[in-house]
Amino acid sequence: MGEPTDVPVGASADDSRVGARATSRQARAFTAAFTMSVAAPLPLLLAGTLAVQLRDDIGLDTEHIGAASALFFLCSSMISIVAGAFTDRVGWQWAVRGASAVSVVAFLLVASFASGVGTFFPLFIIGSFAHAISGPAGNVAISSEMPVQRLGLLFGLKQSANPLANILAGASVPLVGLTLGWRWAFVMGAVFPLLAIVATFGSAGPSHTTTRRRVPPGLGASAGPTGVIDQPGDVRLRTLPIVVLALAGGLATCVAGALGAYVVLSAVEAGISEGTAGVYVMFAAATGLTTRVVGGWWADRAGSSGILPVATLLAVGVFGHMALATGESSLVLPGTLLAYGAGWGWPGLLMYTIAHHYRRSTGRVTGRVQIGMMLGGVVGPLTFALLQLRWGYGAGWLSVAAASALGAGLTVLAAILLRRGVEAPVTDQSVAPVAMSG
């Protein structure tokens, strides 16, 4: 065989093959994390955007949609207790495969057998397993496989999967729901977890529990003087920063849950047609997607940990929620754009914050913060539904604005605590142990 012509001077053919394999593994890891992140929230979002059809066909009213969303997040929060440890133990590849397989089953069961409240609820809740695992699995895939200098951008891209899912859910109303019917929208949703499963094959490499990654010296508290860090080691973490992050994430997710479940219904109440409301959601989700990607890119360029921009976005989002609270049809589009673009533009930066400060325990800390986020997903839709039934959509959106403002304040507090350090000596009695698999 002739000498390869595309190998740089000083590099061997073996080095070139190793580099190509690493690039392929990184591409597959990101694809798996991204497509699973699209699939995980899609059942919730489809239930929200197709709420009018679900009401007409199988009798799901506003309170049923809120209860279904709350139960979905409640089950996800319970699974999140062990989701991070599960991902670290079996590896992100197997975590993605297992959760995606369940997601496929959930989509198809809802599409085939949901005929009323009694059948929709249990079939819908099956998808909560995939929703809980997707966060830790995707974060570990990115933090352990990707170049550390690009983590901000990559987390922004990965978290842009959620607004993409919103775009798809919004587009499903005029393109699928009003033509083929809502069941076909759920059938089509099963494509994304199938793609995630396919992407995990051929991505085998060192597991998260044994990986040694080279990072620039001084980047992150856990990097040694040579710039090499072990993934993960025995470490005890200060409890308070994680608790505050979980509380802030929970309040922020109250916002996300309400947006996903009630924007279309609220717009219809304001006099906007169902199809137009779906298009509004599509464009607003595109705004949120752009915010996540640009925010991650900026964090890499600026060397930011990402936490203070989270607070800024939540604070700006308050104005969008207040615009929706007016019930004025002329303010629905700008309010929705601002609510999605700012009020729901923070997840990529929050996940990057976790990876930045907790390099040796990304999966476990993601799982713990996610508990608060999932509980926020329970409280948000339920609170909105109760307020809407009693006082109308305006009261529901005002509660979302309050949650967003309080979440911004707690995020600032989290930034202060994180600056003081996240790890503590094992003799410190104020910290909680994190059991590591190895």
Side-chain angles (χ1 to χ4, degrees), residues 391-438:
W391 292 292
Y393 283 101
W397 289 118
L398 287 176
S399 72
V400 171
S404 189
L406 185 55
L410 284 175
T411 304
V412 173
L413 175 60
I416 296 172
L417 294 172
L418 289 171
R419 286 176 181 171
R420 297 177 181 175
V422 298
E423 297 182 8
V426 295
T427 55
D428 191 334
Q429 299 300 313
S430 67
V431 299
V434 176
M436 295 292 177
S437 60

Side-chain angles (χ1 to χ4, degrees), residues 129-155:
F129 175 85
H131 192 258
I133 297 294
S134 66
N139 286 359
V140 170
I142 290 176
S143 65
S144 63
E145 300 286 353
M146 303 299 178
V148 71
Q149 298 89 344
R150 299 177 184 173
L151 286 183
L153 175 61
L154 290 169
F155 273 112

Side-chain angles (χ1 to χ4, degrees), residues 51 79 88 91 97 114 155 176 185 187 194 218 238 261 296 313 318-319 323 332 357 362 366 382 399 403 406 421:
I79 298 167
D88 283 337
R97 290 166 192 163
F155 273 112
V176 183
V187 171
L194 285 173
R238 298 188 186 277
L313 289 171
V318 170
F319 297 99
V332 169
H357 288 282
T362 301
T366 298
L382 273 181
S399 72
L406 185 55

Side-chain angles (χ1 to χ4, degrees), residues 29-375:
F30 181 80
T31 300
F34 183 82
T35 51
M36 186 179 178
S37 297
V38 172
L42 196 54
L44 281 170
L45 300 171
L46 288 174
T49 57
L50 297 168
V52 175
Q53 292 191 48
L54 288 169
R55 180 187 62 196
D56 295 341
D57 188 23
I58 61 175
L60 263 66
D61 293 327
T62 301
E63 59 268 27
H64 295 139
I65 296 294
S69 298
L71 282 174
F72 190 95
F73 278 111
L74 179 61
C75 292
S76 292
S77 69
M78 296 173 65
I79 298 167
S80 293
I81 296 173
V82 297
F86 169 78
T87 299
D88 283 337
R89 181 167 294 277
V90 304
W92 67 263
Q93 294 95 336
W94 281 106
V96 169
R97 290 166 192 163
S100 296
V102 173
S103 181
V104 171
V105 171
F107 273 116
L108 297 181
L109 286 176
V110 170
S112 302
F113 300 109
S115 58
V117 176
T119 52
F120 179 85
F121 270 52
L123 298 178
F124 183 73
I125 298 305
I126 293 173
S128 63
F129 175 85
H131 192 258
I133 297 294
S134 66
N139 286 359
V140 170
I142 290 176
S143 65
S144 63
E145 300 286 353
M146 303 299 178
V148 71
Q149 298 89 344
R150 299 177 184 173
L151 286 183
L153 175 61
L154 290 169
F155 273 112
L157 288 169
K158 181 248 183 186
Q159 293 301 133
S160 70
N162 199 298
L164 176 59
N166 272 272
I167 294 173
L168 295 172
S172 73
V173 178
L175 298 180
V176 183
L178 297 177
T179 55
L180 300 176
W182 68 267
R183 295 182 188 275
W184 278 104
F186 277 85
V187 171
M188 294 177 185
V191 170
F192 292 97
L194 285 173
L195 290 175
I197 293 173
V198 172
T200 62
F201 292 98
S203 59
S207 70
H208 179 65
T209 57
T210 59
T211 298
R212 289 171 64 85
R213 289 189 293 136
R214 179 164 293 278
V215 299
L219 183 60
S222 58
T226 64
V228 176
I229 60 177
D230 292 308
Q231 293 276 17
D234 292 330
V235 63
R236 293 172 68 89
L237 303 176
R238 298 188 186 277
T239 303
L240 189 56
I242 298 175
V243 171
V244 175
L245 279 173
L247 290 173
L251 287 164
T253 310
C254 286
V255 175
L259 285 173
Y262 295 111
V263 163
V264 170
L265 290 171
S266 181
V268 171
E269 180 72 13
I272 294 170
S273 70
E274 181 186 352
T276 301
V279 173
Y280 282 7
V281 169
M282 185 171 62
F283 280 108
T287 305
L289 186 154
T290 303
T291 301
R292 296 180 190 209
V293 175
V294 172
W297 172 83
W298 175 85
D300 284 335
R301 293 291 299 270
S304 169
S305 70
I307 187 66
L308 286 178
V310 173
T312 301
L313 289 171
L314 287 171
V316 173
V318 170
F319 297 99
H321 311 316
M322 293 179 68
L324 290 171
T326 65
E328 294 291 334
S329 59
S330 60
L331 294 179
V332 169
L333 178 57
T336 302
L337 290 172
L338 195 56
Y340 271 88
W344 206 356
W346 51 267
L349 289 167
L350 181 60
M351 296 301 104
Y352 173 63
T353 294
I354 293 172
H356 181 90
H357 288 282
Y358 296 95
R359 298 189 185 282
R360 295 195 288 171
S361 44
T362 301
R364 284 163 176 75
V365 175
T366 298
R368 294 181 178 198
V369 172
Q370 193 171 264
I371 294 171
M373 295 172 68
M374 298 301 179
L375 290 175

